[in-house]
Amino acid sequence: MTVLLEVSSLRTEFATRAGLVRAVDGVSLRVSRGECLGVVGESGSGKSVTFASVMGLVRPPGKVTGGTIFFDGRDLRDIAPEEMRAIRGRDIAMTMQDALTALNPALTVGEQLGEVLVAHDETLPAGRAARRAAIRDKSVEMLGLVGIPAPETRLRQYPHEFSGGMRQRIMIAIALACRPQLLIADEPTTALDVTIQAQVLELITDIRARLGMAVVLITHDLGVVAEHCDRVMVMYAGQVVEEGPTDQVIGAPRHPYTRGLLASIPRPSLRGQPIRPIMGQVPDLVGLPAQCRFHSRCPLALPSCLVEVPMMAAGPGRRARCLRLEEVAA
Amino acid sequence: MSDAALSLPPADSLFRRNLRDFRRNRLAMASLVVVLVFVVMAVAAPLIAPQDPNETDLFRRLQPPGWMAGGDWAFPFGCDALGRDILSRIIYGARISIFIGLAVIVLATGVGIAAGLAAGYFRGWVDVVISRIVDILLGFPYLIFAIGLMAMMGPGLLNIVLALAYKEWVIPCRVVRGETLAVRELEYVEAARALGAGPRHIMGREILPNILSPVIVVSTIRMAHVIILEASLSFLGLGVQPPTASWGSMVSDGRAFILEAWWVSTFPGLAILLLVLAINVASQGLRDAFDPRFSE
Amino acid sequence: MSLPGFWFGILLIMLFAVHLQILPVSGRIGYDNEVAAITGFLLIDTLLAGDIAAFGDTLRHLILPAITLGLPMTAILMRVTRTSMLEVLRQDYVTFAEAKGLPRRRVLFRHALKNALIPTVSVAAIETGSLLGGNMIVETVFGWPGLGRLVVESIFLRNYPLVQAAVLLYAVTYVLLNFVADILYTVLNPRVKL
């Protein structure tokens, strides 16, 4: 499989009153065509900011300060804003956590779907009426694809007239309207009911298979990753701490943080045993010393861990940021 | 953000931090000084004013300011059509503007807080009655409402205060009601209720202290409006009656002489502008420091 | 916004009419340009009379009162729109619109401004009240024979029934203007239905 997105040593910083926050600190990752990469981490681990950086959507006071973002052979940090705009929505699309806030309350669903086509679709016919009809047909097709009944009438409605699950589907339809090569789904299920979560994830997986696009699934739910992703990347405090094929990472974690995450999931097979949460809190990202960031919460921590730890090979296709990675597997 | 919410500092230190934010805002501090200068001017008018504000002398009719030809530095801003010293009248006029501004705001805020707390806390029919009255009052344009009342009650200092306060209380009332509705469901209010506190205790001790800062911010901003309204009423001749000096009526007096004596209406107008601007800027600084939700 | 309207009007007269002498001091039309009253609206009457010079004169008489009345409201609406625009630009749907790769113009005007105008319309409706009150001031300053000045003069003549009727008329006008604003509101904000 060929590489679609390759990020190297990405650094994104936010200038705050308290000091410079390095929200993304030397993140490297790779997404192949058609692949599904799960990105796991708790709030503030930098997973969303990493992909906002890829999209060029980091707002001041945030700024991408280092690294390269190669997409389809081009460094997205190097290209003109207008080219970046053309890539957004056409080649890389994004869905957000909560469709209720991501859809514009004042515009019809049809307009919000159609405008992506207007912005990117060069196959639209030239004539005004023909163009309008083509946009309509494509919009209806997209709503059908994500499973919205009676799409013709639904196009004229506003977001508040839909249920939560429907809105999520509409947001996905908008993101997929131009058949992107990469979909970044930022916490697609967090805002939804459990029953609808499964449906939405099925939908994404199903469409991925049909369109052959790559998906980055950002989540804090390892269960979702286990079910839908080929590979997984675990982030902690702005760094990648472990990555590898999903079944291997979940079966035999190589970083104490991943192990901690797995141990804190309630499981029917472990009934009667207490859930083991990870003690302590994510460190303050201002002025972090160059040492293992999980150190203060790590059950395996040694005084020798107080050094800068690089990503190290941990088997075929696997890497982890831990000096004692051989001893992690519990 | 979440860290800050977790370790909420005690109210006292929050207040001090806000105060420090305000002090650091130089423009707001300068404006506060200007406001204070006007207040001192109003209080100590008899000591400061160089002349008797009501002493007429037709030999000084429309005498130009001190620096102009024919001017006299004993009357630095010149004299009006009756030969009265404009500077002294401005100094005395500050009394009227500031007194009316303060009186209206204090009265309106008091009534507004009581009505807003009751509406927001009891809800039900209390809220319906108060909200309807508020809606009806909002249905009248402010100046027209005040003019109508002044026409009914006749001129006079007290009547101006009443005419303006009749409508002004609506504004703090709406702020207080909205804040109360939001705050009454919070845990600490629930806790007080669970401990058996009565409505008066809850409204006065639990809710009011927590919604006071937006109310104060709004009230200071409104004070600038009230001062302009009073000046407008006086300009139309419906305010304080002559010969008492009021900035609005001074501007009105000068209107007839703009061809030959620009200073008669220019200086009192400048005084209004300066005071209102200073109050506005200071209150915006107050808002930025104490009620960051609304800062830009 | 801190400028008292009546004083602002007088300053404008002093600058443009007295000092620069490019605009008339007060009134609706010069004495030498008067035309026969047909509708009572001088702009229309002068056109009907085919008197272009008189039409221009009427227009010149309108400039200062219009600025005096309109400029403070412009300032208020500008500030409201700015504040709400800053608020709206922080919303998720603006980020999402950017993520869709829409042209910047479309993100700003179609996505952000349409939402940002909602508070502007509300404030504009409320401010029409001060516009009506401002009429009294402006008519007094510029010597226009309008309803506002009639009210003020009636108060001095103790003609209270007229004052009451006029205040009621103002209130009705205000309500009507607010009704128009409500309709405009539903256009901007589909969540609100009449």
Side-chain angles (χ1 to χ4, degrees):
Chain A
M1 279 199 285
T2 56
V3 174
L4 180 63
L5 173 71
E6 176 150 31
V7 174
S8 313
S9 316
L10 181 70
R11 204 168 60 220
T12 302
E13 294 169 322
F14 287 79
T16 67
R17 256 196 206 182
L20 205 60
V21 173
R22 206 165 269 182
V24 177
D25 191 4
V27 166
S28 300
L29 63 95
R30 185 180 292 185
V31 181
S32 303
R33 286 182 193 279
E35 171 189 51
C36 181
L37 172 71
V39 180
V40 189
E42 56 203 297
S43 313
S45 60
K47 52 194 197 306
S48 291
V49 180
T50 300
F51 289 95
S53 308
V54 170
M55 294 282 285
L57 290 176
V58 177
R59 297 257 182 95
K63 197 173 186 309
V64 179
T65 52
T68 54
I69 305 166
F70 275 95
F71 176 80
D72 211 6
R74 285 199 292 173
D75 187 350
L76 300 186
R77 285 194 66 203
D78 261 359
I79 63 178
E82 196 49 30
E83 282 179 87
M84 189 63 222
R85 185 190 69 70
I87 289 175
R88 279 200 291 263
R90 189 187 64 198
D91 301 316
I92 311 178
M94 187 169 96
T95 63
M96 299 178 77
Q97 181 167 338
D98 187 358
L100 180 64
T101 56
L103 295 176
N104 193 322
L107 304 178
T108 62
V109 165
E111 177 167 358
Q112 297 187 56
L113 186 52
E115 66 185 356
V116 194
L117 298 169
V118 173
H120 297 297
D121 195 336
E122 274 136 26
T123 64
L124 290 174
R128 216 182 146 83
R131 201 176 161 82
R132 190 172 291 178
I135 290 171
R136 230 187 83 87
D137 291 347
K138 284 207 173 185
S139 300
V140 167
E141 185 198 330
M142 283 318 293
L143 286 193
L145 185 72
V146 297
I148 292 196
E152 288 89 350
T153 46
R154 288 303 214 169
L155 281 178
R156 283 191 297 273
Q157 293 183 324
Y158 290 93
H160 71 274
E161 296 172 86
F162 291 81
S163 68
M166 286 285 188
R167 274 196 292 264
Q168 211 77 14
R169 286 163 186 271
I170 288 166
M171 183 166 64
I172 291 170
I174 291 172
L176 300 183
C178 293
R179 313 276 154 125
Q181 303 176 62
L182 174 65
L183 173 71
I184 298 169
D186 191 355
E187 310 248 2
T189 56
T190 311
L192 297 177
D193 289 343
V194 184
T195 46
I196 301 178
Q197 285 184 7
Q199 291 177 17
V200 167
L201 288 169
E202 275 317 311
L203 177 72
I204 292 177
T205 305
D206 177 49
I207 294 178
R208 174 168 79 93
R210 264 200 272 172
L211 303 184
M213 67 180 177
V215 171
V216 171
L217 197 63
I218 303 173
T219 178
H220 48 247
D221 187 342
L222 272 171
V224 167
V225 171
E227 213 167 317
H228 297 276
C229 300
D230 309 313
R231 282 193 311 121
V232 62
M233 176 174 115
V234 181
M235 286 190 69
Y236 183 78
Q239 292 182 327
V240 180
V241 291
E242 173 158 18
E243 63 159 318
T246 308
D247 45 349
Q248 290 181 32
V249 170
I250 288 178
R254 287 281 181 258
H255 193 280
Y257 178 64
T258 318
R259 196 180 73 183
L261 280 182
L262 287 164
S264 57
I265 302 174
R267 260 183 272 210
S269 61
L270 298 177
R271 206 174 171 147
Q273 294 184 25
I275 294 169
R276 284 174 294 153
I278 305 172
M279 292 305 176
Q281 279 180 11
V282 184
D284 191 346
L285 291 179
V286 178
L288 273 182
Q291 61 185 38
C292 174
R293 294 185 179 177
F294 192 59
H295 177 264
S296 60
R297 302 169 76 183
C298 181
L300 299 178
L302 295 174
S304 59
C305 290
L306 290 173
V307 292
E308 192 169 0
V309 183
M311 286 294 273
M312 297 185 288
R318 296 190 62 181
R319 291 187 308 154
R321 197 184 288 274
C322 182
L323 293 176
R324 305 180 68 189
L325 57 89
E326 300 294 345
E327 299 154 65
V328 170
Chain B
M1 286 292 277
S2 56
D3 283 350
L6 280 175
S7 54
L8 204 68
D12 180 54
S13 93
L14 184 68
F15 178 79
R16 283 205 190 133
R17 201 173 57 198
N18 289 339
L19 204 64
R20 205 177 50 226
D21 276 356
F22 181 74
R23 285 218 197 98
R24 219 178 275 148
N25 185 341
R26 278 205 191 143
L27 191 62
M29 279 307 282
S31 304
L32 189 65
V33 169
V34 172
V35 175
L36 288 178
V37 166
F38 271 102
V39 171
V40 168
M41 220 164 86
V43 172
L47 302 175
I48 297 175
Q51 309 286 336
D52 177 347
N54 295 326
E55 190 197 295
T56 60
D57 181 351
L58 289 179
F59 288 110
R60 295 197 303 261
R61 186 183 142 83
L62 300 181
Q63 179 177 301
W67 61 89
M68 283 173 63
D72 177 352
W73 276 107
F75 307 91
F77 288 173
C79 296
D80 67 7
L82 297 176
R84 296 175 295 196
D85 177 37
I86 289 177
L87 177 62
S88 303
R89 286 182 72 73
I90 287 177
I91 293 172
Y92 272 87
R95 293 187 142 187
I96 300 292
S97 284
I98 290 171
F99 170 75
I100 290 179
L102 271 179
V104 170
I105 288 302
V106 168
L107 198 63
T109 307
V111 174
I113 285 177
L117 271 177
Y121 185 77
F122 293 118
R123 303 203 283 198
W125 65 269
V126 181
D127 188 21
V128 172
V129 170
I130 292 175
S131 296
R132 277 309 140 258
I133 297 175
V134 167
D135 286 346
I136 292 168
L137 284 176
L138 281 175
F140 284 94
Y142 209 136
L143 187 60
I144 290 164
F145 186 78
I147 286 173
L149 281 176
M150 291 304 292
M152 270 161 48
M153 299 189 297
L157 205 56
L158 185 65
N159 286 352
I160 301 178
V161 173
L162 286 178
L164 294 175
Y166 263 126
K167 198 177 141 106
E168 184 61 39
W169 69 272
V170 164
I171 285 148
C173 176
R174 286 214 305 178
V175 175
V176 171
R177 177 179 171 272
E179 296 283 328
T180 306
L181 281 175
V183 166
R184 78 187 292 273
E185 306 297 339
L186 296 183
E187 275 92 3
Y188 69 88
V189 177
E190 290 281 328
R193 208 173 295 144
L195 288 171
R200 263 186 48 197
H201 175 90
I202 293 176
M203 283 192 281
R205 298 253 138 203
E206 307 288 341
I207 298 180
L208 187 57
N210 284 289
I211 63 174
L212 213 52
S213 60
V215 179
I216 291 172
V217 167
V218 168
S219 294
T220 50
I221 293 175
R222 291 301 306 177
M223 182 152 158
H225 286 249
V226 168
I227 287 174
I228 287 199
L229 278 165
E230 180 274 323
S232 305
L233 284 177
S234 299
F235 174 80
L236 292 172
L238 298 170
V240 184
Q241 292 305 294
T244 312
S246 139
W247 293 343
S249 56
M250 290 172 73
V251 174
S252 173
D253 291 343
R255 200 163 51 90
F257 312 106
I258 46 176
L259 289 177
E260 64 261 41
W262 54 268
W263 52 90
V264 182
S265 48
T266 303
F267 291 116
L270 266 179
I272 304 173
L273 176 67
L274 201 59
L275 176 60
V276 169
L277 191 67
I279 294 177
N280 269 337
V281 174
S283 60
Q284 271 164 32
L286 214 58
R287 181 189 63 183
D288 291 345
F290 281 83
D291 207 3
R293 274 175 305 164
F294 297 115
S295 48
E296 287 157 11
Chain C
M1 281 173 73
S2 307
L3 213 59
F6 52 91
W7 187 62
F8 181 51
I10 290 175
L11 279 191
L12 286 180
I13 294 178
M14 285 203 268
L15 181 61
F16 290 101
V18 178
H19 193 67
L20 298 174
Q21 303 203 337
I22 49 176
L23 289 170
V25 172
S26 66
R28 300 172 68 197
I29 192 166
Y31 292 112
D32 42 350
N33 279 324
E34 283 188 32
V35 292
I38 302 168
T39 60
F41 294 105
L42 287 183
L43 280 178
I44 301 173
D45 285 351
T46 48
L47 278 185
L48 288 176
D51 191 342
I52 296 302
F55 178 77
D57 190 36
T58 314
L59 215 53
R60 275 159 32 88
H61 277 84
L62 262 173
I63 295 175
L64 290 184
I67 292 176
T68 309
L69 197 55
L71 208 60
M73 189 151 157
T74 310
I76 291 171
L77 294 185
M78 219 165 77
R79 230 173 67 164
V80 171
T81 310
R82 174 174 180 272
T83 310
S84 86
M85 195 72 181
L86 286 171
E87 175 67 32
V88 164
L89 285 177
R90 278 202 296 267
Q91 299 296 312
D92 276 358
Y93 55 76
V94 172
T95 309
F96 189 54
E98 283 185 322
K100 284 153 81 176
L102 302 179
R104 186 153 184 75
R105 226 183 29 237
R106 188 170 173 87
V107 175
L108 281 181
F109 290 100
R110 190 74 188 152
H111 281 263
L113 190 61
K114 194 174 178 198
N115 285 286
L117 279 182
I118 292 172
T120 308
V121 170
S122 311
V123 172
I126 295 167
E127 285 300 320
T128 51
S130 58
L131 220 53
L132 293 174
N135 252 332
M136 299 194 178
I137 303 274
V138 168
E139 283 168 16
T140 305
V141 171
F142 290 94
W144 279 53
L147 183 61
R149 217 168 72 161
L150 183 65
V151 171
V152 175
E153 279 164 6
S154 303
I155 292 173
F156 292 120
L157 299 173
R158 310 211 179 283
N159 184 356
Y160 294 135
L162 189 144
V163 177
Q164 285 167 358
V167 168
L168 189 68
L169 195 65
Y170 271 122
V172 170
T173 314
Y174 185 55
V175 170
L176 281 179
L177 286 172
N178 272 283
F179 180 63
V180 173
D182 280 347
I183 293 173
L184 207 60
Y185 205 81
T186 58
V187 174
L188 288 172
N189 189 351
R191 279 162 299 184
V192 177
K193 289 238 157 59
L194 278 182

